[in-house]
Amino acid sequence: MATTEYIRNGNTGSDGRARVSQLPSAARRSGIGPGAATAALMITNDLLMIMVAFAVSVMLRMAVASRLVWVVGRPNAWATPAELAYFGWFAAAYVLVARRYGLYSATPLGRSSHELRLVIQGCLTAGLLLCGALFLFHGVMISRVLVLLLVMSAMVTLGVRRVWWRYSRLRHYQQGLELRNVMVVGTNQLSCVLGRYMDDHRQLGCRFVGFVSVPGAAVRGEIEPGEILGSVEKLRQLIRQNFVDELVIGEFFPIGYVIRILEEARELDIDVRAVAGYYSELTAMAPLEYLGIFPVAALHRRRSQAVGLFCKRIVDMLLSLAALIAAAPVMAAVALAVKLDSPGPVFYVSERIGRRGRVFRCFKFRTMVKNAESLKQDLAAFNERDGVLFKMSHDPRITRLGAFLRKYSLDELPQFLNVLRGEMSIVGPRPPIASEVEKYQLEHFRRLEVLPGLTGLWQVEARHDPSFAKYIELDTAYVENWSIGLDLRILVRTANVVLKGTGT
């Protein structure tokens, strides 16, 4: 449970602000929503399994094919550079084919047998593409036995991994983790049954958020008033506040309402499905899917960023691990200095709001006096930032060492551990505290749709700008225009800011 849950329970004001403080602390720590991040992890696992399959195929060639020297010739002791290059092509081809088959979809693909069939089909298709590349580039020196063994080994390793992944995924769903937030549009009997079915069958990977009503439509008696989140007229607000991943249309409405829903979905980048048989003119080319036992058709699919997020996660893991190893002596020295400089713990650990409302423990070196939080209210009149943020020059709570650590951003070194754990990214909006999120307006929730970061567009563009509007504007611009190239540019500029010692 996260922001979704307490909004569903009525913990939002009439102005749409979220009351984070009303969340039970244990419940607030649960993650929500798989999305593209899970797809990136699935791609990583598939690539590792293909590497295992390649190693197995090389060993099998040595053990088996060496006995067929009179047919295939004597094999190399290990893979040649050319064979490694074609192996890379096979791996890339499989990922592209699997993505096309929906194997990295956030929604379950039905029975495990269906998933295994798609995995085998993907391996065979990637094998055909590999053979095509061998023909086009005249790869006569590449062992055909190795190609055959690679395809067969990949079927086994990827199939086993897929079964294990499905099992672990279902366990997470039962624990309420990595669920997609789904709203049902409609208040008739079928809509009611859909909502109850998602509540009772967590293996679908869905968390039922509530119903959206349509003016003039009857409300089924079994639906509690608190389960109706609002009218379709406020759809954008409801989607933002509840971090909705998907809308399911369970009632037939005039086509005008559906077109409006699709326009909102395209702009907000969420999935929309409707019960099969509705809106045949809009679903003529859409394949039939199943939400449990209910046949549905996709009206809109969100843009996939799986490959980009896969690359971003790999970079985050490599950089954070390298930073923690390289900075270990510096961090040890800073920890000792903090302990000797003033009474209190070495680390400042605070609960921050991360991606999609997830609460996590953020680590920093302590730069303030021990009772800094209790003194903050007395200093409110000296706040130099407008809106939600708090900042003041010559803050009396900052220790002598703390000022130096902040100037060169050394206090944030422990946050590389948050990055390694997947709670933060190297680049992204800064993670807010709960009291800030309580004051968020509807448009501010946009910055919570990505992982928070150590540095971001605001830090390099307007670090000393007191305007909260500018802060939100830059974070929103980052979310809407994210790319690997943008992350790299921000990292280069961040290095320049840190070296100049412009932190406060």
Side-chain angles (χ1 to χ4, degrees), residues 393-404:
S393 302
H394 310 295
D395 193 328
R397 301 173 300 163
I398 300 177
T399 63
R400 291 173 300 173
L401 178 63
F404 174 80

Side-chain angles (χ1 to χ4, degrees), residues 164-383:
W164 174 85
W165 179 273
R166 187 180 181 91
Y167 172 73
S168 63
R169 217 171 165 189
L170 290 178
R171 285 186 59 190
H172 283 171
Y173 291 161
Q174 293 296 338
Q175 296 168 7
L177 303 176
E178 300 180 6
L179 299 174
R180 289 164 53 83
N181 296 323
V182 180
M183 282 199 312
V184 175
V185 181
T187 52
N188 64 347
Q189 183 175 7
L190 180 56
S191 301
C192 180
V193 172
L194 275 169
R196 299 289 181 265
Y197 189 83
M198 283 187 280
D199 262 341
D200 296 337
H201 296 80
R202 282 289 178 90
Q203 67 269 22
L204 297 176
C206 299
R207 176 188 285 112
F208 172 61
V209 175
F211 299 99
V212 178
S213 63
V214 173
V219 178
R220 190 71 181 178
E222 294 91 335
I223 298 177
E224 299 292 335
E227 293 181 307
I228 301 178
L229 302 176
S231 170
V232 72
E233 305 293 337
K234 297 182 178 180
L235 187 62
R236 175 184 294 269
Q237 176 180 340
L238 297 175
I239 290 172
R240 282 278 190 243
Q241 289 179 345
N242 292 277
F243 296 110
V244 172
D245 297 293
E246 180 178 0
L247 295 174
V248 176
I249 301 177
E251 185 172 351
F252 187 81
F253 302 112
I255 195 67
Y257 280 112
V258 179
I259 291 176
R260 177 175 177 177
I261 290 172
L262 289 177
E263 289 174 350
E264 297 279 10
R266 291 190 184 99
E267 187 173 343
L268 299 175
D269 198 26
I270 64 169
D271 294 333
V272 180
R273 291 190 286 181
V275 172
Y278 294 168
Y279 319 112
S280 55
E281 63 274 23
L282 297 177
T283 60
M285 303 300 293
L288 185 65
E289 303 173 2
Y290 281 89
L291 182 60
I293 61 174
F294 298 94
V296 292
L299 296 178
H300 178 260
R301 285 292 187 198
R302 67 169 63 191
R303 298 184 300 272
S304 175
Q305 294 180 312
V307 176
L309 285 174
F310 163 74
C311 296
K312 182 179 176 72
R313 181 58 187 150
I314 293 298
V315 170
D316 282 344
M317 292 175 65
L318 293 176
L319 288 183
S320 59
L321 185 60
L324 287 171
I325 294 173
V330 176
M331 293 176 67
V334 170
L336 180 61
V338 170
K339 194 65 178 176
L340 296 175
D341 181 61
S342 62
V346 171
F347 296 102
Y348 171 68
V349 183
S350 64
E351 287 193 344
R352 299 296 178 106
I353 310 299
R355 178 179 179 267
R356 300 171 62 80
R358 178 178 183 177
V359 180
F360 68 97
R361 292 165 64 84
C362 183
F363 305 105
K364 296 178 67 173
F365 283 120
R366 182 174 57 83
T367 60
M368 291 186 174
V369 295
K370 189 176 180 180
N371 60 336
E373 287 298 324
S374 60
L375 297 174
K376 182 177 178 180
Q377 188 173 358
D378 298 332
L379 300 172
F382 302 98
N383 187 14

